[in-house]
Coordinates of all heavy atoms in Angstrom, one line a residue:
V177 N -45.6 -16.6 -43.4 CA -45.8 -16.1 -42.1 C -45.3 -14.6 -42.0 O -45.9 -13.8 -41.4 CB -45.1 -17.0 -41.0 CG1 -45.1 -16.4 -39.7 CG2 -45.7 -18.4 -41.0
Q178 N -44.2 -14.4 -42.6 CA -43.6 -13.0 -42.5 C -44.5 -12.0 -43.2 O -44.6 -10.9 -42.7 CB -42.2 -13.0 -43.2 CG -41.2 -13.8 -42.4 CD -39.8 -13.9 -43.1 OE1 -39.7 -13.5 -44.3 NE2 -38.8 -14.4 -42.5
I179 N -45.1 -12.4 -44.3 CA -46.0 -11.4 -45.0 C -47.2 -11.1 -44.2 O -47.6 -9.9 -44.0 CB -46.4 -12.0 -46.4 CG1 -45.2 -12.0 -47.3 CG2 -47.5 -11.1 -47.0 CD1 -45.4 -12.7 -48.6
I180 N -47.8 -12.1 -43.6 CA -49.0 -11.9 -42.7 C -48.6 -11.1 -41.5 O -49.3 -10.2 -41.1 CB -49.6 -13.3 -42.3 CG1 -50.3 -13.9 -43.5 CG2 -50.5 -13.1 -41.1 CD1 -50.7 -15.3 -43.3
D181 N -47.4 -11.4 -41.0 CA -46.9 -10.7 -39.8 C -46.7 -9.2 -40.1 O -47.0 -8.3 -39.2 CB -45.6 -11.3 -39.3 CG -45.5 -11.2 -37.8 OD1 -46.5 -11.3 -37.1 OD2 -44.3 -11.1 -37.3
R182 N -46.3 -8.9 -41.3 CA -46.0 -7.5 -41.6 C -47.2 -6.7 -42.1 O -47.3 -5.5 -41.8 CB -44.9 -7.4 -42.7 CG -43.6 -7.8 -42.2 CD -42.5 -7.7 -43.3 NE -41.3 -8.3 -42.9 CZ -40.4 -8.7 -43.7 NH1 -40.5 -8.6 -45.0 NH2 -39.2 -9.2 -43.3
L183 N -48.1 -7.4 -42.8 CA -49.2 -6.7 -43.5 C -50.5 -6.7 -42.8 O -51.4 -5.9 -43.1 CB -49.4 -7.2 -44.9 CG -48.2 -7.1 -45.8 CD1 -48.5 -7.7 -47.2 CD2 -47.8 -5.6 -46.0
C184 N -50.7 -7.6 -41.8 CA -52.0 -7.7 -41.2 C -51.8 -7.5 -39.7 O -50.9 -8.1 -39.0 CB -52.6 -9.1 -41.4 SG -54.2 -9.4 -40.7
P185 N -52.6 -6.6 -39.1 CA -52.4 -6.3 -37.6 C -52.8 -7.6 -36.8 O -53.6 -8.4 -37.3 CB -53.4 -5.2 -37.4 CG -54.4 -5.2 -38.5 CD -53.7 -5.8 -39.7
T186 N -52.3 -7.7 -35.6 CA -52.7 -8.7 -34.7 C -54.2 -8.7 -34.5 O -54.8 -7.6 -34.4 CB -52.0 -8.5 -33.3 OG1 -50.6 -8.6 -33.6 CG2 -52.4 -9.6 -32.3
K187 N -54.8 -9.8 -34.5 CA -56.3 -10.0 -34.4 C -57.0 -9.5 -35.7 O -58.2 -9.3 -35.7 CB -56.9 -9.4 -33.2 CG -56.4 -10.1 -31.9 CD -57.1 -9.7 -30.7 CE -56.6 -10.4 -29.5 NZ -57.3 -10.0 -28.3
G188 N -56.2 -9.2 -36.7 CA -56.8 -8.8 -38.0 C -57.3 -10.0 -38.8 O -57.2 -11.1 -38.3
R189 N -57.9 -9.8 -39.9 CA -58.5 -10.8 -40.7 C -57.8 -11.0 -42.0 O -57.4 -10.1 -42.7 CB -60.0 -10.5 -41.0 CG -60.8 -10.6 -39.7 CD -62.2 -10.0 -40.0 NE -63.0 -10.0 -38.8 CZ -63.0 -9.1 -37.9 NH1 -62.2 -8.1 -38.0 NH2 -63.8 -9.2 -36.8
V190 N -57.6 -12.3 -42.3 CA -56.9 -12.7 -43.6 C -57.9 -13.5 -44.4 O -58.4 -14.5 -43.9 CB -55.6 -13.5 -43.3 CG1 -55.0 -14.0 -44.6 CG2 -54.6 -12.7 -42.5
L191 N -58.1 -13.1 -45.6 CA -59.0 -13.8 -46.5 C -58.2 -14.6 -47.6 O -57.3 -14.0 -48.2 CB -59.9 -12.9 -47.2 CG -60.8 -13.5 -48.4 CD1 -61.7 -14.5 -47.8 CD2 -61.6 -12.4 -49.1
D192 N -58.4 -15.9 -47.7 CA -57.7 -16.7 -48.7 C -58.8 -17.4 -49.5 O -59.3 -18.4 -49.1 CB -56.8 -17.7 -48.1 CG -56.0 -18.5 -49.1 OD1 -56.2 -18.3 -50.3 OD2 -55.1 -19.3 -48.6
P193 N -59.2 -16.9 -50.7 CA -60.3 -17.5 -51.5 C -59.9 -18.8 -52.1 O -60.8 -19.5 -52.6 CB -60.6 -16.5 -52.5 CG -59.4 -15.7 -52.7 CD -58.7 -15.7 -51.3
M194 N -58.6 -19.2 -52.2 CA -58.2 -20.4 -52.7 C -57.3 -21.1 -51.7 O -56.1 -21.2 -51.9 CB -57.4 -20.2 -54.1 CG -58.4 -19.6 -55.1 SD -57.5 -19.3 -56.7 CE -56.9 -17.6 -56.3
V195 N -57.9 -21.6 -50.7 CA -57.2 -22.1 -49.5 C -56.3 -23.3 -49.7 O -55.3 -23.4 -49.0 CB -58.2 -22.4 -48.4 CG1 -59.0 -23.7 -48.6 CG2 -57.6 -22.4 -47.0
G196 N -56.5 -24.1 -50.7 CA -55.7 -25.2 -51.0 C -55.4 -26.1 -49.8 O -56.3 -26.5 -49.1
G197 N -54.1 -26.3 -49.5 CA -53.8 -27.1 -48.3 C -53.8 -26.5 -47.0 O -53.5 -27.1 -46.0
G198 N -54.1 -25.2 -46.9 CA -54.3 -24.5 -45.6 C -53.0 -23.8 -45.1 O -53.0 -23.5 -43.9
A199 N -52.0 -23.6 -45.9 CA -50.8 -23.0 -45.3 C -51.0 -21.6 -44.8 O -50.5 -21.2 -43.7 CB -49.7 -22.9 -46.4
T200 N -51.9 -20.8 -45.4 CA -52.2 -19.5 -44.9 C -52.9 -19.5 -43.6 O -52.6 -18.7 -42.7 CB -53.0 -18.7 -46.0 OG1 -52.3 -18.7 -47.2 CG2 -53.3 -17.3 -45.5
A201 N -53.8 -20.5 -43.4 CA -54.5 -20.6 -42.2 C -53.6 -20.9 -41.0 O -53.6 -20.3 -40.0 CB -55.6 -21.7 -42.3
I202 N -52.6 -21.8 -41.3 CA -51.6 -22.2 -40.3 C -50.7 -21.0 -40.0 O -50.4 -20.7 -38.8 CB -50.9 -23.4 -40.7 CG1 -51.8 -24.6 -40.8 CG2 -49.7 -23.7 -39.8 CD1 -51.3 -25.8 -41.4
A203 N -50.3 -20.2 -41.0 CA -49.5 -19.1 -40.8 C -50.2 -18.0 -39.9 O -49.6 -17.4 -39.1 CB -49.1 -18.4 -42.2
C204 N -51.5 -17.9 -40.1 CA -52.3 -17.0 -39.2 C -52.2 -17.4 -37.8 O -52.2 -16.5 -36.9 CB -53.7 -16.9 -39.7 SG -54.0 -16.0 -41.2
M205 N -52.1 -18.7 -37.5 CA -52.1 -19.2 -36.1 C -50.7 -19.0 -35.5 O -50.6 -18.8 -34.3 CB -52.4 -20.7 -36.1 CG -53.8 -21.0 -36.4 SD -54.1 -22.7 -36.2 CE -54.7 -23.2 -37.8
I206 N -49.6 -19.1 -36.3 CA -48.3 -19.1 -35.7 C -47.5 -17.8 -35.9 O -46.4 -17.7 -35.6 CB -47.5 -20.3 -36.3 CG1 -47.3 -20.2 -37.8 CG2 -48.1 -21.6 -36.0 CD1 -46.3 -21.2 -38.4
A207 N -48.2 -16.8 -36.5 CA -47.5 -15.5 -36.7 C -46.8 -15.0 -35.4 O -47.5 -15.0 -34.3 CB -48.4 -14.5 -37.2
P208 N -45.6 -14.7 -35.4 CA -44.9 -14.3 -34.1 C -45.5 -13.2 -33.3 O -45.4 -13.1 -32.1 CB -43.5 -13.9 -34.6 CG -43.3 -14.5 -36.0 CD -44.7 -14.6 -36.5
T209 N -46.1 -12.2 -34.0 CA -46.7 -11.1 -33.3 C -48.2 -11.3 -32.9 O -48.8 -10.4 -32.4 CB -46.6 -9.8 -34.1 OG1 -47.3 -10.0 -35.4 CG2 -45.2 -9.4 -34.4
G210 N -48.7 -12.5 -33.0 CA -50.0 -12.8 -32.5 C -50.9 -13.4 -33.6 O -50.7 -13.3 -34.8
L211 N -52.0 -14.0 -33.1 CA -53.0 -14.7 -33.9 C -53.7 -13.7 -34.8 O -54.0 -12.6 -34.5 CB -54.0 -15.3 -32.9 CG -55.2 -16.0 -33.5 CD1 -54.7 -17.3 -34.1 CD2 -56.2 -16.3 -32.4
R212 N -54.0 -14.2 -36.0 CA -54.9 -13.5 -37.0 C -56.1 -14.4 -37.2 O -56.1 -15.6 -37.1 CB -54.2 -13.3 -38.3 CG -53.4 -12.1 -38.5 CD -52.3 -11.9 -37.4 NE -51.4 -10.8 -37.8 CZ -50.3 -10.7 -37.2 NH1 -49.8 -11.6 -36.4 NH2 -49.5 -9.7 -37.5
Y213 N -57.3 -13.7 -37.5 CA -58.5 -14.5 -37.9 C -58.3 -14.9 -39.3 O -57.9 -14.1 -40.1 CB -59.7 -13.7 -37.6 CG -59.9 -13.3 -36.1 CD1 -59.6 -12.1 -35.6 CD2 -60.4 -14.3 -35.3 CE1 -59.7 -11.8 -34.3 CE2 -60.6 -14.0 -33.9 CZ -60.2 -12.8 -33.5 OH -60.4 -12.5 -32.1
F214 N -58.8 -16.0 -39.7 CA -58.6 -16.6 -41.0 C -60.0 -16.9 -41.6 O -60.8 -17.6 -40.9 CB -57.7 -17.8 -41.0 CG -57.6 -18.4 -42.4 CD1 -56.8 -17.9 -43.3 CD2 -58.4 -19.5 -42.7 CE1 -56.7 -18.5 -44.6 CE2 -58.3 -20.1 -44.0 CZ -57.4 -19.6 -44.9
V215 N -60.2 -16.5 -42.8 CA -61.4 -16.9 -43.6 C -60.9 -17.4 -44.9 O -60.2 -16.8 -45.6 CB -62.3 -15.6 -43.8 CG1 -63.5 -16.1 -44.7 CG2 -62.7 -15.0 -42.5
G216 N -61.3 -18.6 -45.2 CA -60.9 -19.3 -46.4 C -61.9 -20.1 -47.1 O -62.9 -20.5 -46.4
G217 N -61.8 -20.3 -48.3 CA -62.7 -21.1 -49.1 C -62.0 -21.7 -50.3 O -61.0 -21.2 -50.7
D218 N -62.6 -22.7 -50.8 CA -62.1 -23.4 -52.0 C -63.1 -24.3 -52.5 O -63.7 -25.1 -51.8 CB -60.8 -24.1 -51.7 CG -59.9 -24.3 -53.0 OD1 -60.5 -24.8 -54.0 OD2 -58.7 -24.0 -52.9
N219 N -63.4 -24.3 -53.8 CA -64.4 -25.2 -54.3 C -63.8 -26.3 -55.2 O -64.5 -27.1 -55.8 CB -65.5 -24.5 -55.1 CG -64.9 -23.8 -56.4 OD1 -63.7 -23.9 -56.6 ND2 -65.8 -23.3 -57.2
G220 N -62.5 -26.4 -55.2 CA -61.8 -27.4 -56.0 C -61.8 -28.8 -55.2 O -61.9 -28.8 -54.0
H221 N -61.6 -29.8 -56.0 CA -61.4 -31.1 -55.4 C -60.0 -31.6 -55.5 O -59.3 -31.3 -56.5 CB -62.3 -32.1 -56.1 CG -63.8 -32.0 -55.8 ND1 -64.6 -31.0 -56.3 CD2 -64.5 -32.6 -54.9 CE1 -65.8 -31.1 -55.8 NE2 -65.8 -32.0 -54.9
V222 N -59.5 -32.3 -54.5 CA -58.1 -32.7 -54.5 C -57.8 -33.6 -55.7 O -56.7 -33.5 -56.2 CB -57.9 -33.5 -53.1 CG1 -56.4 -34.0 -53.1 CG2 -58.1 -32.6 -51.9
A223 N -58.8 -34.4 -56.1 CA -58.6 -35.4 -57.2 C -58.3 -34.6 -58.5 O -57.7 -35.2 -59.4 CB -59.8 -36.3 -57.3
D224 N -58.6 -33.3 -58.6 CA -58.3 -32.6 -59.8 C -56.8 -32.4 -60.0 O -56.3 -32.3 -61.1 CB -59.0 -31.2 -59.7 CG -60.5 -31.2 -59.7 OD1 -61.1 -32.2 -60.1 OD2 -61.1 -30.2 -59.3
L225 N -56.1 -32.5 -58.9 CA -54.6 -32.3 -59.0 C -53.8 -33.5 -58.4 O -52.6 -33.6 -58.7 CB -54.2 -31.0 -58.2 CG -54.8 -29.7 -58.7 CD1 -54.4 -28.6 -57.8 CD2 -54.2 -29.4 -60.1
V226 N -54.4 -34.3 -57.6 CA -53.7 -35.4 -57.0 C -54.2 -36.7 -57.5 O -55.4 -37.1 -57.1 CB -53.7 -35.3 -55.5 CG1 -53.0 -36.5 -54.8 CG2 -53.2 -34.0 -55.0
E227 N -53.5 -37.4 -58.3 CA -53.9 -38.7 -58.8 C -54.2 -39.7 -57.7 O -53.4 -39.9 -56.8 CB -52.8 -39.2 -59.8 CG -53.3 -40.5 -60.6 CD -52.3 -40.9 -61.6 OE1 -51.5 -40.1 -62.1 OE2 -52.3 -42.1 -61.9
G228 N -55.3 -40.4 -57.8 CA -55.6 -41.4 -56.8 C -56.3 -40.9 -55.6 O -56.7 -41.7 -54.7
A229 N -56.5 -39.6 -55.5 CA -57.2 -39.0 -54.3 C -58.7 -39.3 -54.4 O -59.3 -39.5 -55.4 CB -56.9 -37.5 -54.2
D230 N -59.3 -39.3 -53.2 CA -60.8 -39.5 -53.1 C -61.5 -38.4 -53.9 O -61.2 -37.2 -53.7 CB -61.2 -39.4 -51.6 CG -62.7 -39.6 -51.4 OD1 -63.4 -39.5 -52.4 OD2 -63.1 -39.8 -50.3
P231 N -62.3 -38.7 -54.9 CA -62.9 -37.7 -55.7 C -63.9 -36.8 -55.0 O -64.2 -35.7 -55.4 CB -63.6 -38.5 -56.8 CG -63.7 -39.8 -56.3 CD -62.6 -40.0 -55.3
K232 N -64.3 -37.2 -53.8 CA -65.2 -36.4 -53.0 C -64.5 -35.4 -52.1 O -65.1 -34.5 -51.5 CB -66.1 -37.2 -52.2 CG -67.1 -38.1 -53.0 CD -67.9 -39.0 -52.1 CE -68.8 -39.9 -53.0 NZ -69.5 -40.9 -52.1
L233 N -63.2 -35.6 -51.9 CA -62.4 -34.8 -50.9 C -62.1 -33.4 -51.5 O -61.6 -33.3 -52.6 CB -61.1 -35.5 -50.6 CG -60.2 -34.8 -49.5 CD1 -60.9 -34.8 -48.2 CD2 -58.9 -35.6 -49.4
T234 N -62.5 -32.3 -50.8 CA -62.3 -31.0 -51.3 C -61.0 -30.4 -50.6 O -60.6 -30.8 -49.5 CB -63.5 -30.1 -51.0 OG1 -63.6 -29.9 -49.6 CG2 -64.7 -30.6 -51.7
W235 N -60.5 -29.4 -51.2 CA -59.3 -28.7 -50.6 C -59.7 -28.0 -49.3 O -58.9 -27.9 -48.4 CB -58.7 -27.6 -51.6 CG -57.9 -28.3 -52.7 CD1 -58.2 -28.3 -54.0 CD2 -56.7 -29.0 -52.6 NE1 -57.3 -29.0 -54.7 CE2 -56.3 -29.4 -53.8 CE3 -55.9 -29.3 -51.5 CZ2 -55.1 -30.2 -54.1 CZ3 -54.7 -30.0 -51.7 CH2 -54.4 -30.4 -53.0
A236 N -61.0 -27.6 -49.2 CA -61.4 -26.9 -48.0 C -61.4 -28.0 -46.9 O -61.0 -27.6 -45.7 CB -62.8 -26.4 -48.2
Q237 N -61.7 -29.2 -47.1 CA -61.7 -30.3 -46.1 C -60.2 -30.5 -45.7 O -59.9 -30.7 -44.5 CB -62.3 -31.5 -46.6 CG -63.8 -31.4 -46.8 CD -64.4 -32.6 -47.5 OE1 -63.9 -33.0 -48.6 NE2 -65.6 -33.1 -47.1
V238 N -59.3 -30.6 -46.7 CA -57.9 -30.8 -46.4 C -57.4 -29.7 -45.5 O -56.7 -29.9 -44.5 CB -57.1 -30.9 -47.7 CG1 -55.6 -30.9 -47.4 CG2 -57.5 -32.1 -48.4
A239 N -57.7 -28.4 -45.9 CA -57.2 -27.3 -45.1 C -57.8 -27.3 -43.7 O -57.1 -27.0 -42.7 CB -57.6 -26.0 -45.8
T240 N -59.1 -27.6 -43.6 CA -59.7 -27.6 -42.2 C -59.0 -28.6 -41.3 O -58.7 -28.4 -40.2 CB -61.2 -27.9 -42.3 OG1 -61.8 -26.9 -43.1 CG2 -61.9 -28.0 -41.0
A241 N -58.7 -29.8 -41.9 CA -58.1 -30.9 -41.1 C -56.7 -30.5 -40.7 O -56.2 -30.6 -39.5 CB -58.1 -32.2 -41.9
R242 N -55.9 -29.9 -41.6 CA -54.5 -29.4 -41.3 C -54.5 -28.3 -40.3 O -53.7 -28.3 -39.4 CB -53.8 -29.0 -42.6 CG -53.4 -30.1 -43.5 CD -52.6 -29.6 -44.7 NE -51.3 -29.1 -44.1 CZ -50.5 -28.2 -44.7 NH1 -50.9 -27.7 -45.8 NH2 -49.4 -27.8 -44.2
A243 N -55.5 -27.4 -40.4 CA -55.5 -26.3 -39.5 C -55.9 -26.8 -38.1 O -55.3 -26.3 -37.1 CB -56.5 -25.2 -40.0
A244 N -56.8 -27.7 -38.0 CA -57.3 -28.2 -36.7 C -56.1 -29.0 -36.0 O -55.9 -28.8 -34.8 CB -58.4 -29.2 -36.9
K245 N -55.3 -29.7 -36.8 CA -54.2 -30.4 -36.3 C -53.1 -29.4 -35.8 O -52.6 -29.6 -34.7 CB -53.6 -31.4 -37.3 CG -52.4 -32.2 -36.8 CD -51.9 -33.1 -37.9 CE -50.6 -33.8 -37.4 NZ -50.0 -34.6 -38.4
A246 N -52.9 -28.4 -36.6 CA -51.9 -27.4 -36.2 C -52.3 -26.7 -34.9 O -51.5 -26.4 -34.0 CB -51.6 -26.4 -37.3
W247 N -53.6 -26.3 -34.8 CA -54.1 -25.6 -33.7 C -53.9 -26.5 -32.4 O -53.5 -26.0 -31.4 CB -55.5 -25.2 -33.9 CG -56.0 -24.4 -32.7 CD1 -57.0 -24.7 -31.9 CD2 -55.6 -23.0 -32.4 NE1 -57.2 -23.7 -31.0 CE2 -56.3 -22.7 -31.3 CE3 -54.6 -22.2 -32.9 CZ2 -56.2 -21.4 -30.6 CZ3 -54.4 -21.0 -32.2 CH2 -55.2 -20.6 -31.1
A248 N -54.2 -27.8 -32.5 CA -54.1 -28.7 -31.4 C -52.6 -28.8 -30.9 O -52.3 -28.8 -29.7 CB -54.6 -30.1 -31.7
E249 N -51.7 -28.8 -31.9 CA -50.3 -28.8 -31.6 C -49.8 -27.5 -30.9 O -49.1 -27.6 -29.9 CB -49.5 -29.1 -32.8 CG -49.6 -30.5 -33.4 CD -49.0 -30.7 -34.7 OE1 -48.3 -29.8 -35.3 OE2 -49.1 -31.8 -35.3
I250 N -50.3 -26.4 -31.4 CA -50.0 -25.1 -30.8 C -50.5 -25.1 -29.3 O -49.8 -24.6 -28.4 CB -50.6 -24.0 -31.6 CG1 -49.8 -23.9 -32.9 CG2 -50.5 -22.6 -30.8 CD1 -50.5 -23.0 -34.0
Q251 N -51.7 -25.5 -29.1 CA -52.3 -25.5 -27.8 C -51.5 -26.4 -26.8 O -51.3 -26.1 -25.7 CB -53.8 -25.9 -27.8 CG -54.6 -24.9 -28.5 CD -54.6 -23.5 -27.9 OE1 -54.6 -23.3 -26.7 NE2 -54.5 -22.5 -28.7
A252 N -51.1 -27.6 -27.3 CA -50.3 -28.5 -26.5 C -49.0 -27.9 -26.1 O -48.5 -28.0 -25.0 CB -50.1 -29.8 -27.3
Q253 N -48.3 -27.2 -27.1 CA -47.0 -26.6 -26.8 C -47.2 -25.5 -25.8 O -46.4 -25.3 -24.9 CB -46.4 -26.0 -28.1 CG -46.0 -27.1 -29.0 CD -45.6 -26.5 -30.4 OE1 -45.7 -25.3 -30.6 NE2 -45.1 -27.4 -31.3
R254 N -48.3 -24.7 -25.9 CA -48.5 -23.6 -24.9 C -48.8 -24.2 -23.5 O -48.3 -23.6 -22.5 CB -49.7 -22.8 -25.4 CG -49.4 -21.9 -26.5 CD -50.6 -21.1 -27.0 NE -50.3 -20.3 -28.1 CZ -51.1 -19.6 -28.8 NH1 -52.4 -19.7 -28.5 NH2 -50.8 -18.9 -29.9
K255 N -49.5 -25.3 -23.5 CA -49.8 -25.9 -22.2 C -48.5 -26.4 -21.5 O -48.3 -26.3 -20.3 CB -50.8 -27.1 -22.4 CG -51.4 -27.6 -21.2 CD -52.5 -28.6 -21.5 CE -53.4 -28.9 -20.3 NZ -54.4 -29.8 -20.6
E256 N -47.6 -27.1 -22.3 CA -46.3 -27.5 -21.8 C -45.5 -26.4 -21.3 O -44.8 -26.5 -20.3 CB -45.6 -28.3 -22.9 CG -46.2 -29.7 -23.2 CD -45.4 -30.3 -24.4 OE1 -44.4 -29.9 -24.8 OE2 -45.9 -31.4 -24.8
A257 N -45.5 -25.3 -22.0 CA -44.7 -24.1 -21.6 C -45.2 -23.4 -20.4 O -44.4 -22.8 -19.7 CB -44.6 -23.1 -22.8
A258 N -46.5 -23.6 -20.1 CA -47.0 -22.9 -18.9 C -46.7 -23.6 -17.6 O -46.2 -24.6 -17.4 CB -48.5 -22.8 -19.0

């Protein structure tokens, strides 16, 4: 989060070509100085690194699900604070 906050302007774009679990996407959402736009991709499968994982599940799907959950939590917190 600190690196994104320092190196990318608010409403700037962050590219992560190896999105993995989506930590960079979430960091773009929670950066203290404001939201950044995130573009990410990954063509690897989770099963390549995680034994017993669904062989069809890709890292991009994992990242998308984690980012969607994080965004919903952020929106809920903002609604409670308002």
Side-chain angles (χ1 to χ4, degrees):
V177 174
Q178 292 174 352
I179 292 171
I180 289 170
D181 212 33
R182 290 182 189 158
L183 299 178
C184 182
T186 301
K187 295 188 179 179
R189 290 171 183 82
V190 174
L191 171 64
D192 183 358
M194 293 178 277
V195 74
T200 304
I202 293 168
C204 287
M205 289 184 237
I206 64 171
T209 58
L211 177 72
R212 272 56 171 198
Y213 296 101
F214 176 79
V215 178
D218 201 312
N219 65 355
H221 287 81
V222 178
D224 294 342
L225 297 174
V226 180
E227 188 174 334
D230 180 347
K232 295 179 183 174
L233 185 63
T234 66
W235 284 112
Q237 291 168 317
V238 170
T240 300
R242 285 189 67 208
K245 181 180 177 186
W247 185 247
E249 290 172 2
I250 290 166
Q251 294 302 318
Q253 290 171 358
R254 289 179 180 170
K255 195 173 190 178
E256 288 176 9

